[in-house]
Amino acid sequence: MPTFVYMTRCDGCGYCVDICPSDIMHIDDTWRRAYNLEPDMCWECYSCVKACPMHAIDVRGYADFCPLGHAVRVHRDEEEGIIAWRIKFRSGRIKDLVAPITTKPWGKFIPNLREVAPPTDEQRKSQLLFNEPKYIRLDDGDLYTLESQGLKMRQGVYY
Amino acid sequence: MITTNPFAGLAEYGITPGMMMAFVILMVLAVVVGTALDVLHKKSHKYFFEHEERMKKLATRELSSAEKTSMLIQTITSEVLTSSEFHNPKRRLAHLLKMYGFVLFVLSSAVLIFAYPTTADAPFWAFLWHLGAIMVAIGGYWFFFSLRVDVQSEGNKWWNLKKRDLFIVSLLATVTFGLLWSLFGTVVLFALFIISTAVLFGSVYWSKFAHMFFKPAAAYQKRKLMADGSRENLPPFYKRAEVLDQSTMDLVRDIPKDQKFGLCIMKDEPKHY
Ligand code: SF4
Ligand code: SF4
């Protein structure tokens, strides 16, 4: 379900332009407001919907999911570290979904790539991706198990 | 210098006080007509009231007139007077400079032209006129060269002008030529000042000048819709600790309540260009 902008709510801050991985959120030539210039190319990642501080971006629901009178709205609260969605169905039924933001700082859990040694020639030619998690690698022995890696199955996490 | 009334010397160019006053009245009319045409063309009022009606159906409670008055006052003291809608503090500061500078500039121009048309010695109002112009110039050039979304996020060069730049360019031209004319006093600079002023106030229909009338109305409407329960369909604003406590997922419940995660985009600005 691609996104669209309520131009009257947008204040042209550019957060959606910065964040869109598909580079399709752009600034209109006449009003300096954002718009999704190629909804067909939208990854539907909703980064822009969550990033917009003015709640100006919405999701265009597919007809089978929520035809007419639907709403898919999100509030992303950086101070509280919360992302909350409200899905309103055509019948008026409402579903609220809430999740904590768990963005990690660069360099702590996410490698700070500037400080990582560049790959060797051998690594470049390898079939393996950079930093491929070792428990999905089959090249040095058998399949890894949760136990052998000291991991535990927990509700809400699916390895 | 900045306490001298720049309009006092206009007789030199054969411009009478009456002509200046007529020009000011013409500009006021241009703004009124331009805004009215803008509303008719974009049908902003239609959208505005339709949205309110649609949201009214979702309201869970009726707002009392005392609440509405208090919201109106909050809108004026917060969104209007302190530009609180901007999340980016730099844009907010630049906007405040431009807004207060513009108010000072317009107000003092009117007072100087109507009350002191031939008196060079009007230090208070002349000072406000220069101060207003300088404030607009600081906020405006800051916005124009670095804060404009087309420059900051789109990576366009500042000289790549589009229709959307009509307002800021004519505003900057007005205060810049006004200040230069006050400093050097040549007829060419005066002519450029008058032309840019005419473009600024005469282009309301095509530019975003009229935002100063629409934005407060939209901010007031937003406050009302958040308070009457319709919330423009937005979810409630949760507290992190409550969410972590009430979650049914171990993964979420295990997150320490005071754990701060990484910076998000509002604090950690992207820099691609
Ligand atoms: S949903 Fe993702 S891909 Fe689509 S416009 Fe928004 S940021 Fe871009
Ligand atoms: S993030 Fe929202 S307010 Fe900012 S430019 Fe995009 S749509 Fe407009």
Side-chain angles (χ1 to χ4, degrees):
Chain A
M1 302 191 293
T3 61
F4 69 98
V5 179
Y6 291 115
M7 282 174 106
T8 46
R9 287 283 186 249
C10 167
D11 79 351
C13 67
Y15 289 147
C16 57
V17 181
D18 289 329
I19 212 161
C20 177
S22 200
D23 196 19
I24 52 174
M25 271 292 172
H26 282 285
I27 298 296
D28 154 81
D29 282 352
T30 312
W31 308 112
R32 193 177 284 118
R33 296 289 174 255
Y35 71 114
N36 185 335
L37 62 76
E38 193 52 84
D40 281 356
M41 293 291 141
C42 179
W43 295 13
E44 302 170 7
C45 66
Y46 303 147
S47 304
C48 58
V49 189
K50 291 182 272 184
C52 177
M54 309 307 289
H55 306 115
I57 309 181
D58 257 13
V59 174
R60 194 184 299 282
Y62 284 143
D64 54 352
F65 163 59
C66 40
L68 305 173
H70 75 280
V72 181
R73 304 279 279 156
V74 64
H75 175 67
R76 175 171 158 283
D77 188 336
E78 278 195 12
E79 297 306 325
E80 285 294 327
I82 292 289
I83 294 202
W85 291 86
R86 170 162 283 191
I87 318 290
K88 208 183 97 198
F89 292 84
R90 183 187 186 181
S91 59
R93 196 154 56 93
I94 285 175
K95 258 190 188 303
D96 283 336
L97 309 161
V98 197
I101 296 176
T102 56
T103 315
K104 313 285 191 300
W106 288 99
K108 201 167 171 198
F109 300 103
I110 301 169
N112 202 343
L113 293 176
R114 212 183 305 172
E115 284 154 21
V116 174
T120 60
D121 271 355
E122 195 192 332
Q123 281 173 322
R124 280 182 206 278
K125 287 183 194 134
S126 150
Q127 294 286 327
L128 297 172
L129 298 173
F130 172 76
N131 219 26
E132 198 161 298
K134 59 183 178 184
Y135 21 88
I136 62 167
R137 287 171 57 164
L138 300 175
D139 58 323
D140 60 344
D142 210 347
L143 260 181
Y144 286 98
T145 61
L146 291 177
E147 287 78 24
S148 74
Q149 295 309 304
L151 301 172
K152 226 169 48 208
M153 178 64 93
R154 290 197 303 173
Q155 190 199 1
V157 193
Y158 302 97
Y159 296 108
Chain B
M1 170 107 12
I2 63 166
T3 49
T4 309
N5 176 4
F7 298 103
L10 284 179
E12 265 177 49
Y13 312 141
I15 295 169
T16 61
M19 285 156 82
M20 281 311 287
M21 290 175 202
F23 183 74
V24 173
I25 293 166
L26 199 65
M27 291 301 102
V28 173
L29 286 177
V31 171
V32 174
V33 173
T35 308
L37 288 177
D38 196 27
V39 170
L40 287 178
H41 171 64
K42 289 206 215 107
K43 300 195 172 62
S44 321
H45 58 302
K46 193 167 160 238
Y47 169 77
F48 187 84
F49 292 116
E50 262 178 17
H51 183 60
E52 191 149 324
E53 284 306 311
R54 217 174 25 240
M55 285 296 140
K56 222 175 240 168
K57 290 188 197 131
L58 305 175
T60 50
R61 67 192 198 89
E62 186 106 3
L63 296 177
S64 69
S65 46
E67 275 176 305
K68 285 188 197 160
T69 317
S70 124
M71 275 173 214
L72 185 63
I73 294 168
Q74 282 169 11
T75 308
I76 294 169
T77 54
S78 174
E79 278 91 345
V80 177
L81 293 181
T82 71
S83 304
S84 63
E85 272 191 302
F86 285 107
H87 277 71
N88 180 342
K90 289 186 207 159
R91 278 193 74 196
R92 186 173 178 185
L93 183 58
H95 190 263
L96 287 171
L97 281 167
K98 283 182 283 181
M99 180 176 80
Y100 283 108
F102 184 73
V103 170
L104 286 182
F105 184 72
V106 169
L107 185 72
S108 54
S109 297
V111 172
L112 287 173
I113 289 170
F114 282 89
Y116 306 95
T118 52
T119 324
D121 189 26
F124 177 69
W125 291 104
F127 173 72
L128 288 189
W129 188 84
H130 289 90
L131 178 71
I134 291 168
M135 282 167 68
V136 172
I138 294 172
Y141 282 112
W142 185 18
F143 173 75
F144 185 75
F145 288 117
S146 106
L147 301 179
R148 243 181 341 144
V149 64
D150 358 353
V151 177
Q152 191 163 65
S153 297
E154 293 278 34
N156 290 342
K157 296 292 177 221
W158 62 263
W159 60 79
N160 190 351
L161 297 178
K162 295 270 163 52
K163 190 180 163 194
R164 61 191 171 205
D165 300 303
L166 183 59
F167 177 62
I168 183 70
V169 171
S170 56
L171 179 66
L172 282 175
T174 302
V175 294
T176 308
F177 291 128
L179 284 171
L180 290 175
W181 162 62
S182 160
L183 200 65
F184 300 109
T186 70
V187 70
V188 175
L189 288 171
F190 177 71
L192 288 171
F193 170 55
I194 288 298
I195 292 168
S196 35
T197 309
V199 173
L200 174 65
F201 293 106
S203 66
V204 174
Y205 178 65
W206 299 276
S207 80
K208 64 165 290 176
F209 188 104
H211 78 282
M212 55 187 83
F213 310 117
F214 301 143
K215 275 280 178 186
Y220 175 53
Q221 184 188 57
K222 209 167 165 181
R223 264 186 195 275
K224 279 197 300 181
L225 298 182
M226 290 308 275
D228 73 5
S230 59
R231 304 179 59 79
E232 301 201 80
N233 284 321
L234 281 170
F237 295 166
Y238 296 91
K239 291 273 167 240
R240 185 180 178 88
E242 287 165 21
V243 170
L244 297 186
D245 268 347
Q246 290 167 10
S247 174
T248 50
M249 293 205 293
D250 294 345
L251 179 73
V252 173
R253 266 204 311 268
D254 289 354
I255 298 173
K257 293 199 185 41
D258 53 354
Q259 179 166 354
K260 289 274 178 267
F261 286 90
L263 294 176
C264 291
I265 55 167
M266 282 165 208
K267 293 165 203 142
D268 191 11
E269 274 178 38
K271 299 233 181 322
H272 351 259
Y273 294 104

